[in-house]
Amino acid sequence: MTKAPFRVLVTGAAGQIGYSIVLQIAKGDVFGPDQPVVLVMLDIPPMAAVLEGVQMELIDCALPTLAGVEGVTNEEQAFKDIDFAFLVGAMPRREGMERKDLLAANVKIFKSQGRSLANFAKPTVKVLVVGNPANTNALVCAKYAAGKVPLRNFSAMTRLDHNRATAQIALHANVPVANVKNVIIWGNHSSTQFPDARHAKVVKGTIPLWPPTWF
Ligand SMILES: NC(=O)C1=CN([C@@H]2O[C@H](COP(=O)(O)OP(=O)(O)OC[C@H]3O[C@@H](n4cnc5c(N)ncnc54)[C@H](O)[C@@H]3O)[C@@H](O)[C@H]2O)C=CC1
Ligand SMILES: O=C([O-])CC(=O)C(=O)O
């Protein structure tokens, strides 16, 4: 591979989501089969041994797109010269909680990581915030990285809401999900989210099928 590797950070790499996305990034599903990546995985110090296990598993896969894999527990090393950041590491909801109930625990993580983006990352870094409440954390992170990393480089992961709405329409209409188009999601990745199916297009065989009777 002739391209220079991207340095890609995944935080919370020892957790549920982090563990499932690192392989997809490492094997070329995200940046393409001819783009090498150096994967940098950050977690908190008590998770160092788990992180080392994840690192060993990735090395054992002998993936041609994986130019290097580092497991670290401090932000300076993690954010140094990165091109992309997947900010997953944060507390998840427990029973009875709303995503906004995670603010107290999680906002401080994204303040600190915003500062680390400003201090250590490439100014061209692109950042996807997954840790909840994702939209608020993305805003906090962007605010603390301001002056170094432009606001437009930050996204919050709300795609899941769009996928869920599309999949539910497909289930109700009894069609493959590929037959559902133009679903829109408004609002936050929270209880204020609004799946908007008014402009959706659903096709069964060759027959347009919208709105169905149950809508
Ligand atoms: N935006 C979205 O669509 C979704 C967001 N989420 C959110 O993603 C986050 C992670 O979820 P899971 O992987 O299921 O949780 P998890 O608890 O399995 O993993 C979280 C990991 O983050 C680590 N961590 C905690 N503080 C950290 C810090 N300061 N720096 C680096 N790592 C840190 C933990 O040690 C743990 O390994 C949660 O906030 C969850 O609510 C979950 C699903 C969908
Ligand atoms: O529900 C949660 O807490 C995790 C999440 O964001 C989702 O699955 O949409």
Side-chain angles (χ1 to χ4, degrees):
M1 256 172 253
T2 50
K3 291 181 173 174
F6 288 150
R7 245 182 119 69
V8 181
L9 168 65
V10 175
T11 69
Q16 300 279 347
I17 296 174
Y19 181 66
S20 37
I21 67 167
V22 287
L23 180 62
Q24 297 184 49
I25 295 168
K27 73 187 173 75
D29 290 355
V30 177
F31 297 103
D34 62 346
Q35 174 60 60
V37 295
V38 172
L39 188 60
V40 186
M41 303 185 298
L42 173 71
D43 213 293
I44 52 176
M47 298 302 279
V50 181
L51 207 51
E52 196 184 353
V54 179
Q55 186 180 6
M56 287 161 82
E57 286 183 6
L58 287 166
I59 291 168
D60 287 350
C61 293
L63 299 162
T65 41
L66 190 58
V69 52
E70 301 167 18
V72 300
T73 56
N74 84 74
E75 284 188 8
E76 178 166 354
Q77 268 179 290
F79 284 81
K80 187 89 189 126
D81 295 332
I82 50 165
D83 298 288
F84 295 92
F86 294 79
L87 302 184
V88 180
M91 187 197 277
R93 278 198 295 166
R94 299 191 213 302
E95 204 178 330
M97 287 173 92
E98 291 263 0
R99 293 180 184 86
K100 64 175 186 264
D101 299 332
L102 297 169
L103 277 170
N106 289 346
V107 160
K108 55 179 181 287
I109 297 176
F110 290 89
K111 273 188 187 173
S112 170
Q113 294 185 354
R115 285 194 193 104
S116 291
L117 281 163
N119 290 336
F120 311 121
K122 290 185 182 162
T124 49
V125 65
K126 301 273 184 355
V127 183
L128 178 69
V129 177
V130 177
N132 274 322
N135 308 68
T136 311
N137 289 336
L139 187 68
V140 168
C141 200
K143 188 177 157 203
Y144 281 81
K148 181 82 181 289
V149 184
L151 184 62
R152 67 173 176 275
N153 289 19
F154 289 81
S155 308
M157 200 186 79
T158 56
R159 175 74 199 206
L160 182 53
D161 300 332
H162 180 267
N163 291 353
R164 277 182 181 140
T166 305
Q168 285 302 315
I169 291 171
L171 268 180
H172 281 278
N174 194 23
V175 298
V177 83
N179 291 24
V180 181
K181 306 265 188 257
N182 297 357
V183 175
I184 303 169
I185 295 294
W186 303 100
N188 213 320
H189 179 63
S190 73
S191 48
T192 63
Q193 69 183 257
F194 182 80
D196 182 352
R198 284 174 304 172
H199 307 284
K201 292 200 188 328
V202 181
V203 176
K204 191 159 199 164
T206 54
I207 304 162
L209 189 79
W210 198 256
T213 46
W214 52 264
F215 182 64

